[in-house]
Each structure stands twice: as structure tokens, then as C-alpha cells.
Amino acid sequence: MNQVPVFMFHTIHYESFKEQLDYLKRNNYSTLSLREFLDFLKGKYQLTQPSVLLTFDDGEKSWYTTAFPLLKAYGFRAVGFVVPHYIQASPVEQTNTKNWLSWPELIEMDESGVFEIESHSYYHSRIFVSSKLVDFYHPGFPDALTLDVPWLEDQGRYTNTLSWGTPIYECAPRLKGQAQYRDSVKVRQACTDWVASQGGERFFENANWRKELLQQFHLAQENYASEKLEHYELDEQRKFHMLKDLTVSREILSEKLNRPVNHLCYPWGVGSEEAVSLSKIAGYSSNFWVSLDQRNSNLPDDSPYYIPRLKDDYLFRLPGDGRHSLWRIFRTKLKRRSKSLEIY
């Protein structure tokens, strides 16, 4: 009982989440607050029963409509790591697709004592990290709440609002610490102009659209090869963007919630040694990741800057009545994935 696993959730579905909370309640698990959890790591908090920390990533509407009332009903607590850039000024109506939370909803949740709202960076950005072409931006591009769309420099702006046909190069999370590959704006423009001239979004109804667009891409590369328009950002630029992603999120959340925000969860659960150092400069006192190579749970004296987490599926691997086998968990994941592919 002298360890605390941390579980991460994203979009919440009523039946599956209720089943998870039922399991915790039936087996006498406690859900810790952030302070209790961090005091546990420092050796200042003694567990009196099996305990977990529940964390939620991004800031999706189902936190408010589904997770919030269920947590209140069970007397449980959780931590929500949000991306301020995407939070809406006022509530939006829940639809069949994913929606973002609003500031009034977040503030209500934070003030309730059920949710503690903390930082998930300001942009949740992925960036190009090499010149290896992997795709073009098209209507079927992975777009969960726009978090999967890469960010790039565009005429002095940092944006992930892309035109159809934008070349997509190899990507990585910004806070992983790699230098951003700055692609050729002229090659990009040639591709997006071609798509626009061929009907815009309708162009992608053509079964051969990828082959045709790839031909335009290579032609543009040949035309502008001598100008050497692509390059990598400098170290100072990389550090500036990483630190800005951390500091702006913390400042906005602290202002909106009217209290200090001191805890960070890395987008995609991926950070770096440099991100840890910069997070300390930005004023964070803990960093949450996905499972680390060294461990997947938390013990006293573990570093608060290297907190591993498990996907919520594995909550049923906790000891207790009704514990699931690994095979059952994998089978359930496969069924959910198949259903998701049918919908989208």
C-alpha cells in the first residue's frame, strides 16, 4: 500500500467511467488531492488506505458533463490539466463531436473542490522536426480537438490553422526539446495554391489526389532548390518557444482561477531534460509524464518532476474484487478502437 499509481483520462464516457469509479469505491480506494500526493512523495503523508491520483488531460467538454457529476456523486477528486489556448470564453452546446470546455465551467469545477485545474502547456503543440515528408493536410487528417495538427511559423505567426494541401513533415511534441524544422514557405504555397485551384476541399474526393499533390510538391522543390529556403530554428528560438509555452499557460490559468498554478503535465506525456529545467524557471513544482522507463508508479522520495502515469484502462489492474486480466483489458481496447474507426 506504500505506492500511488496515477491514471490519465481524456474524453469521458458515462458507462465506462462509472464502472471505473464503482471499482475504486468497491475496493476502498482513496483518490488523493495534489497536495496529499506530493506530500506522499516527500514522505510527509501516510496512506491509511489504498490510494490513487486521477488526472485528466486537455480540457474536453465531457469533463463537465460526465466526469464532474460522477466524481461528486462518488465523493472522489481529480486533477484536470488544461490547454488555455483552446478554452472557450463561454459554454458551447455539447455535440456528437468533441468540444472544448469554457472558462466558466473550468472555474466552477476548480472552485468545487472536486477538480484541481492545472497546466497542460499553452499550445499543446507538435512541430516539424525534419524534412521527411509524411503527409499533406487534408480533410481526413487526424484532428482530435485540433491537438494533432502541427504548429508552424507562418508570416510571423505561430499557428496550426493550416490550408488544405500544406505539406506535413515528421513531427514531435514541442516540449520534447527538438529544434523545429522551418519548411520552405514557397514550396508550401505552391502546394496549397494547387489544391485551391483544383477545387479546394473537393480536390480530395479524387482517388489520385495524393499522387497529384506529391508531383506538385516535388516540382516546387526543384524550382526553389537553389534558394535553400528551409532551415532549423536556432537554440535560442527553441528555448524561447518552449519557455513561452510553459509560462503563458501558467500565467493565464493563475489569473483566471485567481490562485497559483504550479503543476505541469506534458502534452502527449512527453518532455525532456531541458523541459524539466525550463519548467522550474517557469515556476512549476511538479511534472507529469506517461509511464517512464524506470517505473510506472510512485513511491516516497520519487522526484516530483518525473511523475509517471498509466492510461485509465489499467485502473482495473489494481488489486481488488473484480480485477481484470491483461487480456481482458487489451480486448476491450481493441473493441473501442474498432468502434471509433466505424464512427470516424
Side-chain angles (χ1 to χ4, degrees):
M1 192 171 72
N2 198 35
Q3 62 177 306
V4 177
V6 180
F7 295 98
M8 59 178 168
F9 299 79
H10 291 84
T11 301
I12 306 303
H13 301 284
Y14 181 87
E15 292 298 334
S16 58
F17 189 56
K18 185 177 185 302
E19 185 181 3
Q20 290 168 321
L21 299 187
D22 279 338
Y23 186 82
L24 293 176
K25 179 67 76 174
R26 182 170 69 251
N27 290 292
N28 196 37
Y29 279 89
S30 168
T31 55
L32 301 181
S33 68
L34 263 176
R35 173 170 290 184
E36 289 169 342
F37 173 72
L38 293 171
D39 281 347
F40 166 79
L41 294 185
K42 298 173 185 175
K44 297 179 179 180
Y45 182 83
Q46 296 298 316
L47 301 180
T48 58
Q49 63 189 100
S51 301
V52 298
L53 183 69
L54 304 181
T55 65
F56 294 68
D57 289 7
D58 303 333
E60 202 262 323
K61 180 81 172 185
S62 63
W63 292 15
Y64 185 78
T65 58
T66 306
F68 187 31
L70 278 173
L71 287 167
K72 283 193 290 188
Y74 280 82
F76 286 156
R77 295 169 292 184
V79 182
F81 294 108
V82 301
V83 186
H85 174 78
Y86 293 109
I87 302 304
Q88 305 295 298
S90 57
V92 296
E93 184 177 350
Q94 181 73 49
T95 65
N96 291 330
T97 58
K98 294 183 178 182
N99 302 105
W100 288 106
L101 284 164
S102 67
W103 287 114
E105 291 164 335
L106 273 179
I107 292 169
E108 178 187 346
M109 291 163 65
D110 187 67
E111 292 179 345
S112 71
V114 174
F115 264 92
E116 297 175 75
I117 303 302
E118 297 291 336
S119 171
H120 200 32
S121 82
Y122 182 66
Y123 293 110
H124 199 291
S125 55
R126 291 199 307 162
I127 56 170
F128 299 153
V129 294
S130 84
S131 59
K132 179 182 178 181
L133 181 73
V134 297
D135 203 352
F136 295 94
Y137 189 60
H138 62 280
F141 192 84
D143 194 8
L145 290 170
T146 71
L147 296 177
D148 293 313
V149 181
W151 287 75
L152 47 79
E153 295 287 340
D154 183 33
Q155 299 178 353
R157 297 183 305 131
Y158 192 54
T159 181
N160 69 342
T161 301
L162 308 184
S163 300
W164 298 128
T166 298
I168 304 295
Y169 303 89
E170 184 178 20
C171 295
R174 163 59 85 178
L175 294 175
K176 190 176 180 181
Q178 294 174 258
Q180 183 179 25
Y181 170 68
R182 304 285 179 82
D183 64 314
S184 166
V185 176
K186 289 187 178 180
V187 170
R188 187 198 312 162
Q189 192 70 49
C191 292
T192 57
D193 284 351
W194 166 259
V195 171
S197 72
Q198 300 301 306
E201 188 172 352
R202 295 195 307 276
F203 166 72
F204 298 98
E205 297 172 5
N206 176 0
N208 295 319
W209 73 261
R210 198 178 298 275
K211 180 179 179 180
E212 293 181 14
L213 189 50
L214 193 58
Q215 290 175 341
Q216 297 300 317
F217 172 79
H218 289 309
L219 179 61
Q221 279 192 317
E222 292 176 9
N223 290 340
Y224 301 115
S226 62
E227 298 185 35
K228 300 185 182 303
L229 299 173
E230 66 278 1
H231 62 283
Y232 287 87
E233 66 183 347
L234 302 175
D235 276 351
E236 306 86 71
Q237 294 171 318
R238 177 176 54 80
K239 291 178 181 177
F240 169 81
H241 282 293
M242 289 175 68
L243 187 58
K244 180 180 179 181
D245 207 3
L246 298 173
T247 55
V248 173
S249 177
R250 183 169 183 262
E251 290 168 359
I252 289 177
L253 285 170
S254 296
E255 178 183 354
K256 292 286 188 179
L257 301 175
N258 196 31
R259 63 166 179 81
V261 166
N262 299 320
H263 308 284
L264 168 72
C265 173
Y266 290 118
W268 293 281
V270 179
S272 59
E273 293 300 321
E274 186 168 39
V276 171
S277 297
L278 292 173
S279 77
K280 293 176 181 179
I281 294 173
Y284 292 100
S285 55
S286 73
N287 289 178
F288 289 75
W289 304 58
V290 290
S291 292
L292 301 173
D293 292 337
Q294 305 88 338
R295 56 192 172 85
N296 57 24
S297 192
N298 300 275
L299 298 166
D301 296 326
D302 283 341
S303 171
Y305 287 96
Y306 296 89
I307 298 170
R309 301 183 301 157
L310 296 164
K311 291 186 177 180
D312 67 285
D313 312 71
Y314 296 100
L315 185 147
F316 290 113
R317 288 297 294 159
L318 291 169
D321 174 37
R323 188 184 192 198
H324 291 190
S325 66
L326 279 174
W327 166 242
R328 181 175 176 180
I329 290 172
F330 293 151
R331 184 177 60 188
T332 301
K333 287 166 72 75
L334 286 173
K335 285 183 178 179
R336 287 178 182 170
R337 188 172 300 170
S338 298
K339 186 175 181 180
S340 175
L341 290 174
E342 290 174 4
I343 295 172
Y344 296 105

